[in-house]
């Protein structure tokens, strides 16, 4: 059986002050691009002074990078466990965090994953999935014409886009159904799945 990811929030280890800064930043970031957010707006919304911000972060880009890094760490574990599940023909749902994890992190995942051109997190997740596939299947891509690289791009893009679509739609589909679908599509392909439906 595949080990399930621990269901902790990536931001659980932040201090109260950092939490205020992150919450204020994410509230602003959900509405406008990073270039239009100032440290003053963040600290005013957080009820802190600018000096407090600089005790924790170099600038706004450092703040975003640290938030993404926390979510990237857990995404790396998710990628490894989910590829193991696919490789071992195990239940993909067992390799993913439970729905409570996604619910607890939904607000930030929606901002980091579902808002156009906002965050590097989708690309970081794809990179981790590709790496997990490369390790599991001993895939080495020789150059830009190697079709293995295209196959990895295809499957990882599809998986990340599917999870983003699920999160964007408030996780209405049960996690078990989604994981079964993703596993079926990875093993048998979309065309076969659609043909079987009609």
């Amino acid at each position: 059986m595949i080990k399930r990811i621990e269901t902790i929030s990536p931001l659980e280890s932040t201090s109260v002050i950092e939490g205020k800064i992150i919450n204020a930043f994410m509230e602003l970031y959900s509405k406008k691009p990073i270039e239009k957010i100032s440290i003053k707006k963040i600290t005013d919304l957080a009820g802190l002074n600018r000096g407090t911000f600089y005790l924790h972060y170099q600038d706004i880009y450092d703040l975003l990078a640290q938030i993404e890094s926390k979510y990237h760490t857990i995404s790396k574990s998710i990628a490894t466990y989910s590829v193991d599940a696919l490789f071992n023909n195990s239940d993909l749902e067992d390799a993913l965090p439970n729905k409570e994890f996604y619910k607890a992190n939904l607000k930030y995942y929606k901002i980091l994953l579902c808002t156009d051109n906002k965050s590097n997190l989708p690309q970081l997740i794809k990179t981790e999935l590709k790496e997990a596939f490369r390790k599991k299947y001993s895939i080495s891509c020789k150059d830009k014409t190697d079709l293995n690289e295209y196959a990895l791009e295809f499957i990882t893009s599809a998986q990340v886009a599917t999870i983003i679509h699920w999160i964007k739609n408030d996780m209405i589909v049960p996690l078990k159904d989604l994981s079964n679908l993703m596993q079926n599509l990875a093993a048998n392909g979309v065309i076969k799945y659609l043909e079987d439906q009609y």
Side-chain angles (χ1 to χ4, degrees):
M1 180 172 167
I2 300 296
K3 179 181 175 188
R4 182 184 284 278
I5 297 290
E6 286 185 41
T7 56
I8 59 166
S9 170
L11 299 176
E12 194 171 273
S13 64
T14 59
S15 70
V16 173
I17 299 291
E18 287 175 300
K20 286 181 177 184
I21 293 169
I22 290 169
N23 283 331
F25 170 73
M26 293 299 270
E27 184 177 326
L28 294 166
Y29 193 49
S30 69
K31 298 171 188 161
K32 56 179 81 173
I34 195 167
E35 300 80 25
K36 299 204 176 191
I37 300 172
S38 69
I39 292 171
K40 180 170 179 11
K41 287 179 185 173
I42 294 169
T43 54
D44 284 353
L45 189 58
L48 302 168
N49 63 49
R50 288 174 58 91
T52 303
F53 178 93
Y54 289 111
L55 290 174
H56 299 278
Y57 307 102
Q58 294 174 358
D59 55 28
I60 294 173
Y61 295 96
D62 178 47
L63 169 59
L64 177 59
Q66 287 193 41
I67 293 168
E68 288 175 336
S69 175
K70 289 176 186 291
Y71 279 92
H72 177 221
T73 300
I74 195 139
S75 298
K76 185 174 184 175
S77 297
I78 292 169
T80 301
Y81 288 137
S82 58
V83 170
D84 280 346
L86 291 172
F87 183 80
N88 295 318
N89 204 24
S90 300
D91 190 349
L92 183 57
E93 182 189 20
D94 291 338
L96 298 172
N98 62 28
K99 192 166 182 175
E100 286 69 36
F101 168 84
Y102 290 107
K103 280 184 179 177
N105 291 281
L106 181 61
K107 178 173 109 178
Y108 288 160
Y109 269 129
K110 275 193 165 186
I111 296 167
L112 294 170
L113 294 175
C114 303
T115 310
D116 293 336
N117 301 316
K118 290 282 187 172
S119 168
N120 292 321
L121 190 58
Q123 186 58 47
L124 293 171
I125 294 171
K126 268 179 50 177
T127 300
E128 292 304 336
L129 275 170
K130 282 184 184 180
E131 222 20 68
F133 274 111
R134 283 189 185 106
K135 284 182 183 172
K136 189 51 80 175
Y137 293 102
S138 300
I139 297 170
S140 63
C141 297
K142 298 168 191 74
D143 58 38
K144 291 180 182 179
T145 63
D146 191 332
L147 290 180
N148 287 336
E149 189 61 32
Y150 288 84
L152 289 174
E153 181 68 23
F154 179 83
I155 193 162
T156 57
S157 294
Q159 289 180 334
V160 170
T162 302
I163 292 294
I164 290 172
H165 186 70
W166 181 63
I167 290 170
K168 192 182 285 186
N169 288 289
D170 297 319
M171 306 175 302
I172 292 173
V173 172
L175 181 58
K176 181 164 192 63
D177 293 349
L178 181 71
S179 61
N180 287 342
L181 173 67
M182 290 175 67
Q183 195 156 18
N184 184 348
L185 295 176
N188 303 311
V190 176
I191 303 298
K192 172 88 171 87
Y193 171 80
L194 293 175
E195 286 174 348
D196 290 348
Q197 301 306 303
Y198 301 101

